[in-house]
Amino acid sequence: MLQNWNQGSHFTVPSYLRKMKNIPLILMGCGGVGRQLLQHIVSCRSLHSTQGLCLRVVGVGDSTSLLVSDDLLHKGLDDTVLLQLCRVKSAGESLSKLCDFGECRAFGHPESEGKILEIASQLGRKTGLVLVDCSASFDTVAVLKQAMHMGCCAVLANKKPLTSSLEDFKKLFKCPRHIRHESTVGAGLPVIASLNRIICSGDPVHQIIGSLSGTLGYVMSEVEDGKPLSQVVKDAKSLGYTEPDPRDDLGGMDVARKALILARILGHQINLDSIQIESLYPKEMGPDIMTVEDFLERGLSLLDKDIQARVEKAASNGNVLRYVCVIEGSRCEVGIQELPKNSPLGRLRGSDNVLEIYTRCYSKQPLVIQGAGAGNDTTAAGVLADIVDLQDLFS
């Protein structure tokens, strides 16, 4: 067999000779990404079985309740329950509706938080447990910290725990092998993995510059063609690219959180308030002053002239405008930058994410990562890959 291997052939151990690895997990968050993840897990059963892997979903929680398997040590929630759960949540109903559907129990809030920690204590050092955070809440930070202290692992699509205080960030990364968070930046793109490989190789990172918002990438490439900002934002909203209130995208906070995660991975001891953030709308048009309807109908059009002037100025220099994050030395900022038209970022069209990483090895030509950086399907696929990546920690 060694002779065949040396000649370049590949040997795969038959599935019947492999010991099946079981990974128990609890999903926190049943929004679009969480539901898509459950569907991915169910649809990949056959694939994972051939790889000697079984993902056991022992619990699923949302902001109001938690659904838990009756047999935590040997079984998970049945696939029929998981798919029914997806249908129930898509209809905007409560998880408690499923308490009589299969062998499971429902717990309400705040009892659910204590139940998650009880399960973490029971499984953390026995079989192992992965907490998967697909919520959009700060409230999961405390649970994640306590569960990881009990020996559990964590996989995050939720950026907020990693952009909380520096103290919280350090506690979550006390055992780096136990945490994965690829989907917090760039959805399923290999941004975190690539950056970690560069760091591990000893190649110093000089600069990171990237367009990390599909919404703002689309907006900036469209205004480049001469379209008014107000029309572009309305088009983006109708296409489903923006949040229900487009100011959640235009304010730049989502990009700032992603930039903070990257900066902290590089070792920068900074918090969110250390980042200079350029909002595309003034405070006078903020949510506490102007309704969404007023902003779309009256406020947005007042911003057209200034943006168009900046677009024309950049064009006169042979450049384009992009909304990017820039991390260079101790500097971390988010906002509109004038960039060469023929650069990877300058060529960006539509809602893709693009990240340029400049290092000693990638000094003249940066490492460029580009692709779909948003979407429930893409993000959930990245989360699933992160869960599978933890399998060596399980028996």
Side-chain angles (χ1 to χ4, degrees):
M1 189 58 66
L2 284 176
Q3 183 178 4
N4 288 339
W5 177 263
N6 289 335
Q7 290 174 353
S9 65
H10 296 276
F11 173 68
T12 302
V13 179
S15 58
Y16 63 84
L17 292 179
R18 292 197 207 104
K19 180 182 177 182
M20 188 70 75
K21 285 187 176 182
N22 278 275
I23 301 182
L25 63 91
I26 293 177
L27 171 63
M28 300 186 294
C30 295
V33 174
R35 295 195 301 271
Q36 191 67 56
L37 173 63
L38 293 177
Q39 292 173 25
H40 280 331
I41 289 173
V42 172
S43 67
C44 288
R45 290 292 186 205
S46 297
L47 171 65
H48 289 158
S49 179
T50 64
Q51 298 170 343
L53 185 64
C54 177
L55 304 185
R56 287 196 299 116
V57 183
V58 299
V60 178
D62 60 15
S63 59
T64 61
S65 51
L66 173 71
L67 199 69
V68 176
S69 169
D70 279 342
D71 188 351
L72 295 171
L73 286 174
H74 305 101
K75 295 180 181 178
L77 296 170
D78 189 81
D79 285 354
T80 56
V81 175
L82 296 179
L83 294 177
Q84 180 64 15
L85 184 154
C86 291
R87 288 189 284 271
V88 166
K89 290 303 297 180
S90 293
E93 298 180 276
S94 171
L95 289 178
S96 59
K97 185 175 181 179
L98 295 166
C99 61
D100 296 323
F101 193 91
E103 299 175 347
C104 55
R105 290 172 292 162
F107 300 86
H109 185 77
E111 184 186 8
S112 57
E113 182 176 313
K115 189 62 183 178
I116 290 175
L117 293 175
E118 181 186 318
I119 297 171
S121 176
Q122 183 179 349
L123 300 184
R125 302 192 190 282
K126 187 177 292 184
T127 63
L129 177 70
V130 181
L131 292 189
V132 183
D133 188 356
C134 290
S135 72
S137 171
F138 277 115
D139 297 338
T140 58
V141 178
V143 174
L144 289 169
K145 287 191 298 182
Q146 291 180 69
M148 293 188 76
H149 183 69
M150 296 173 187
C152 298
C153 298
V155 171
L156 285 73
N158 182 11
K159 293 178 282 293
K160 291 180 179 176
L162 300 183
T163 56
S164 183
S165 71
L166 194 56
E167 179 185 0
D168 285 341
F169 181 85
K170 289 179 178 179
K171 285 182 178 178
L172 290 173
F173 277 85
K174 191 171 184 179
C175 187
R177 293 177 65 236
H178 285 203
I179 187 167
R180 300 288 187 277
H181 59 104
E182 187 67 75
S183 293
T184 57
V185 180
L189 294 176
V191 172
I192 306 296
S194 300
L195 192 55
N196 281 331
R197 285 177 64 86
I198 289 171
I199 293 169
C200 289
S201 74
D203 187 12
V205 176
H206 301 313
Q207 185 190 59
I208 293 177
I209 179 168
S211 175
L212 296 176
S213 166
T215 303
L216 292 173
Y218 171 83
V219 167
M220 298 313 296
S221 62
E222 290 293 297
V223 296
E224 177 189 335
D225 293 336
K227 298 177 184 176
L229 175 69
S230 56
Q231 187 57 54
V232 172
V233 171
K234 290 174 185 176
D235 290 346
K237 190 174 189 299
S238 67
L239 290 168
Y241 289 167
T242 74
E243 296 294 327
D245 185 344
R247 286 170 295 190
D248 291 343
D249 300 292
L250 301 177
M253 184 55 71
D254 184 63
V255 178
R257 292 191 192 285
K258 295 173 183 178
L260 179 59
I261 291 170
L262 296 179
R264 284 179 168 178
I265 291 173
L266 292 176
H268 299 311
Q269 309 287 302
I270 62 172
N271 287 310
L272 202 55
D273 57 10
S274 308
I275 301 176
Q276 182 180 331
I277 306 171
E278 178 184 3
S279 173
L280 295 190
Y281 65 88
K283 291 181 180 179
E284 295 75 23
M285 295 183 189
D288 53 339
I289 298 175
M290 191 176 279
T291 66
V292 178
E293 292 74 20
D294 281 348
F295 176 71
L296 290 172
E297 294 306 318
R298 296 191 300 107
L300 259 178
S301 59
L302 299 177
L303 307 176
D304 289 342
K305 189 175 180 180
D306 178 61
I307 288 293
Q308 193 55 44
R310 294 176 71 174
V311 168
E312 292 171 359
K313 180 177 180 295
S316 68
N317 296 327
N319 296 326
V320 294
L321 298 182
R322 294 291 180 261
Y323 194 96
V324 297
C325 73
V326 179
I327 305 168
E328 186 174 18
S330 60
R331 178 170 68 110
C332 184
E333 59 186 47
V334 167
I336 294 177
Q337 296 272 339
E338 194 173 309
L339 299 168
K341 194 171 186 176
N342 62 351
S343 67
L345 279 162
R347 292 191 297 269
L348 174 65
R349 305 295 299 177
S351 60
D352 271 7
N353 281 190
V354 176
L355 195 75
E356 299 177 13
I357 304 176
Y358 293 85
T359 71
R360 184 191 67 231
C361 296
Y362 298 97
S363 55
K364 294 182 179 178
Q365 294 295 327
L367 173 65
V368 179
I369 302 169
Q370 178 172 358
N376 294 336
D377 194 10
T378 308
T379 304
V383 173
L384 181 56
D386 272 351
I387 297 169
V388 172
D389 193 46
L390 290 167
Q391 64 178 296
D392 289 344
L393 300 176
F394 292 79
S395 57

